[in-house]
Amino acid sequence: MKLYNSLTREKDEFLTHTPGRVEMYTCGPTVYHFAHIGNLRSYIMEDVLEKYLGYAGYKVNRVMNITDVGHLTSDGDTGDDKMLKGAKREHKTVMEIAKFYTDAFFSDCEKLNIKKPDTVVPATGYIDEFIRVISALIDKGYAYEAGGNIYFDTSKLKKYYVFNDFSEEDLAVGVREGVEADGNKKNKTDFVLWFTKSKFEDQELKWQSPWGLGYPGWHIECSCISMKNNGEYLDLHCGGIDNAFPHHTNEIAQSEAYLGHDWCPQWFHVHHLNTEGGKMSKSKGEFLTVSLLEQKGYDPLAHRFFCLQSHYRKGLMFSWENLDNAAAAYSKLTARIAQIDASAPAASSQSPDDLRKAFKEAMDNDLNTSLAITSLYDVLKSGLSGADKLALVAEFDGVLSLGLIAAAKKLKEAPADEELPAEVAELLEQRKAARKEKNFALADELRDKIARLGYTVEETRQGTVVKKA
Ligand code: AMP
Ligand code: ZN
């Protein structure tokens, strides 16, 4: 398999330290608010990568952090703590906010068929480990104390500037946001490992450390959580492209300084979901969440389909029109699968292996998911027997996770539109429009009317399902 490697800037042959085993790490969410569907684009593509590695025969150990402390509004160590901001916004404690949004994140992931990583570690659960590694970095001469904080000394490295030359746009939320010079730093690029004093409002959560009462920086979290759970040699590190610099650069700096050897040879970065105003973010424009999609009547898996239709290394433009197109294509696809007759005989001598080969070639070429979807359509068009078609769809969907077989089954069980009385069909249309406009009171009223005509309406992960009561 060839995978683009941000470290070498080339499509490299995918290799692991131990044959047949992948140690994989993913930067997790900062749980101060809901994830937006842009954040989730990154997690969808990482999920496909993990599942494809499994399909290709690897045993994958995937680790992820939950950032519940230490991530400031700028990725470059300035600004308020994001968690504290979230707590103030909602008049709750930081830990209440962390619990609520961690649960919300995994609930969104479930709706998008994103598998939970094998190990998930909240940063607040690893404070002793951060202190241990920071102490070792000080002992080795890579870190210093200044003004009450502990900084990593980037001048001690032969090579610090990994990943710092991506385009300005890609790194938009990196150090460039609200940069303010920190007079304590010996070098401009030094970064905080442990804070005891911040110019900004004080943290709610603080821990005793050899350097005083304080809290960890954001970057050290990922290094420590990975080194502890993936071991000293990581195979594959993932994140959104805005994490590349300074976050991943700093992760490499401190991990390699601590370990005394190379850490991770393969870096996978997902490019952004954009809106017309640029990179999608929580503070700019409409706050696009999975719940909002559901309220508007979309199946969250239509968003997954939308993401898989384009390459992860290209920016993807979100608009309601683009999502509508993806949702329509997704419905058509499931409808076609529902029409497959499992007992239909083969109509040609084509073998499942020919079609499987096309799918693998697409995925082996830097995870080309849109071409993999084309190979799925080719299965439907092929002369394979009905049973073979269904088996291949299920096999590919084990990787793509579009819920295709389940969606087709639901469709088969539901009466076809033409079987619905005209009055029910009309009310359903009205209800759909009401949901799109977020008029849920009207939508409920229409559901009751439909019920009085003898039909139940249920919102499922596969969309609206109507059945005879
Ligand atoms: P955060 O919760 O801010 O720490 O971000 C979680 C993940 O989402 C990180 O891997 C980010 O790089 C990624 N991310 C942030 N914004 C976007 C976006 N607009 N499109 C895709 N990924 C994003
Ligand atoms: Zn990270």
Side-chain angles (χ1 to χ4, degrees):
M1 180 190 190
K2 291 231 188 259
L3 199 59
Y4 183 84
N5 184 357
S6 305
L7 209 55
T8 59
R9 310 290 162 102
E10 285 186 28
K11 278 192 213 174
D12 288 340
E13 190 58 39
F14 182 73
L15 296 171
T16 60
H17 290 93
T18 309
R21 189 175 169 87
V22 184
E23 290 296 340
M24 178 173 181
Y25 184 81
T26 303
C27 291
T30 309
V31 283
Y32 69 112
H33 217 322
F34 292 108
H36 58 60
I37 57 172
N39 299 128
L40 291 160
R41 179 192 191 197
S42 288
Y43 296 107
I44 288 170
M45 301 316 293
E46 291 161 0
D47 180 67
V48 173
L49 175 58
E50 176 186 356
K51 286 173 179 161
Y52 185 64
L53 290 169
Y55 178 87
Y58 289 100
K59 166 108 189 51
V60 183
N61 176 37
R62 181 152 174 220
V63 179
M64 185 171 92
N65 68 307
I66 297 286
T67 299
D68 53 2
V69 67
H71 194 174
L72 306 190
T73 39
S74 158
D75 292 354
D77 298 337
T78 64
D80 291 321
D81 184 279
K82 286 189 178 182
M83 294 301 299
L84 192 61
K85 270 182 89 170
K88 280 206 288 188
R89 184 186 66 232
E90 297 184 19
H91 308 290
K92 292 195 178 128
T93 66
V94 163
M95 285 327 279
E96 280 166 352
I97 289 287
K99 161 103 182 66
F100 180 82
Y101 288 113
T102 302
D103 291 348
F105 173 74
F106 284 116
S107 151
D108 286 346
C109 285
E110 216 178 300
K111 288 174 182 165
L112 290 163
N113 282 352
I114 298 170
K115 175 181 165 288
K116 197 170 183 176
D118 303 286
T119 305
V120 176
V121 179
T124 48
Y126 257 47
I127 302 295
D128 290 348
E129 188 60 17
F130 305 151
I131 293 174
R132 192 181 68 74
V133 172
I134 296 168
S135 304
L137 287 171
I138 296 173
D139 292 347
K140 286 170 184 252
Y142 283 105
Y144 60 92
E145 192 266 329
N149 297 334
I150 306 296
Y151 293 86
F152 187 92
D153 187 347
T154 52
S155 70
K156 293 280 158 66
L157 298 175
K158 277 196 224 97
K159 186 168 181 273
Y160 168 70
Y161 281 108
V162 198
F163 302 141
N164 74 324
D165 51 350
F166 286 111
S167 77
E168 287 267 335
E169 196 194 329
D170 285 341
L171 302 172
V173 296
V175 273
R176 284 158 191 84
E177 199 178 275
V179 186
E180 251 183 79
D182 176 346
N184 293 325
K185 293 185 183 181
K186 287 190 195 163
N187 313 286
K188 212 171 88 216
T189 48
D190 291 355
F191 54 92
V192 179
L193 297 167
W194 187 267
F195 289 97
T196 67
K197 286 200 177 57
S198 160
K199 294 197 281 286
F200 300 91
E201 190 166 355
D202 230 358
Q203 257 293 345
E204 191 178 292
L205 297 175
K206 288 188 179 188
W207 293 266
Q208 233 7 293
S209 79
W211 322 288
L213 198 63
Y215 58 98
W218 171 39
H219 316 296
I220 195 72
E221 296 177 6
C222 289
S223 289
C224 292
I225 290 170
S226 176
M227 290 191 290
K228 191 84 184 164
N229 295 283
N230 293 115
E232 283 191 15
Y233 292 93
L234 184 61
D235 295 309
L236 176 60
H237 195 306
C238 311
I241 187 72
D242 59 310
N243 280 167
F245 186 81
H247 183 51
H248 291 162
T249 305
N250 293 348
E251 280 189 39
I252 295 173
Q254 62 206 359
S255 301
E256 296 192 349
Y258 172 77
L259 293 168
H261 59 69
D262 286 353
W263 178 44
C264 180
Q266 176 81 46
W267 290 74
F268 176 86
H269 287 118
V270 180
H271 286 242
H272 288 147
L273 186 62
N274 297 311
T275 54
E276 270 179 7
K279 172 187 176 285
M280 185 177 290
S281 77
K282 292 173 200 187
S283 51
K284 217 171 45 186
E286 199 174 9
F287 187 14
L288 295 157
T289 59
V290 168
S291 320
L292 181 68
L293 297 192
E294 287 182 305
Q295 282 166 23
K296 284 181 178 272
Y298 293 97
D299 180 342
L301 291 178
H303 177 55
R304 186 169 175 117
F305 188 73
F306 175 55
C307 292
L308 297 193
Q309 277 179 319
S310 76
H311 197 259
Y312 75 90
R313 260 189 322 115
K314 290 204 180 104
L316 177 59
M317 180 56 78
F318 175 83
S319 68
W320 291 109
E321 194 187 346
N322 289 348
L323 185 64
D324 280 339
N325 289 337
Y330 177 67
S331 296
K332 262 195 197 151
L333 175 61
T334 54
R336 281 181 68 181
I337 296 167
Q339 279 159 12
I340 298 174
D341 173 2
S343 61
S348 78
S349 58
Q350 209 171 11
S351 86
D353 266 347
D354 298 334
L355 292 143
R356 194 174 277 127
K357 194 165 157 257
F359 175 78
K360 282 191 191 165
E361 271 172 12
M363 296 297 276
D364 279 344
N365 184 7
D366 195 22
L367 214 70
N368 191 334
T369 47
S370 70
L371 209 56
I373 290 176
T374 305
S375 73
L376 186 75
Y377 283 107
D378 289 340
V379 171
L380 305 184
K381 277 189 267 172
S382 74
L384 293 182
S385 70
D388 278 349
K389 281 185 188 175
L390 286 170
L392 266 193
V393 169
E395 182 178 320
F396 296 177
D397 204 35
V399 174
L400 304 175
S401 289
L402 292 163
L404 296 174
I405 298 291
K409 190 165 169 267
K410 277 266 175 202
L411 276 178
K412 271 189 155 169
E413 284 167 2
D417 280 355
E418 58 266 27
E419 289 171 18
L420 290 174
E423 201 181 345
V424 174
E426 170 58 28
L427 289 170
L428 273 173
E429 277 307 310
Q430 287 177 19
R431 183 171 172 276
K432 198 169 155 195
R435 278 172 64 82
K436 221 166 186 166
E437 284 160 19
K438 289 209 225 168
N439 188 345
F440 299 112
L442 177 60
D444 286 348
E445 234 173 75
L446 291 164
R447 182 209 297 259
D448 293 344
K449 272 193 186 168
I450 296 168
R452 286 196 288 278
L453 294 170
Y455 287 84
T456 61
V457 184
E458 195 194 336
E459 293 306 326
T460 72
R461 293 174 60 189
Q462 281 75 40
T464 309
V465 173
V466 190
K467 281 188 193 154
K468 233 178 152 61

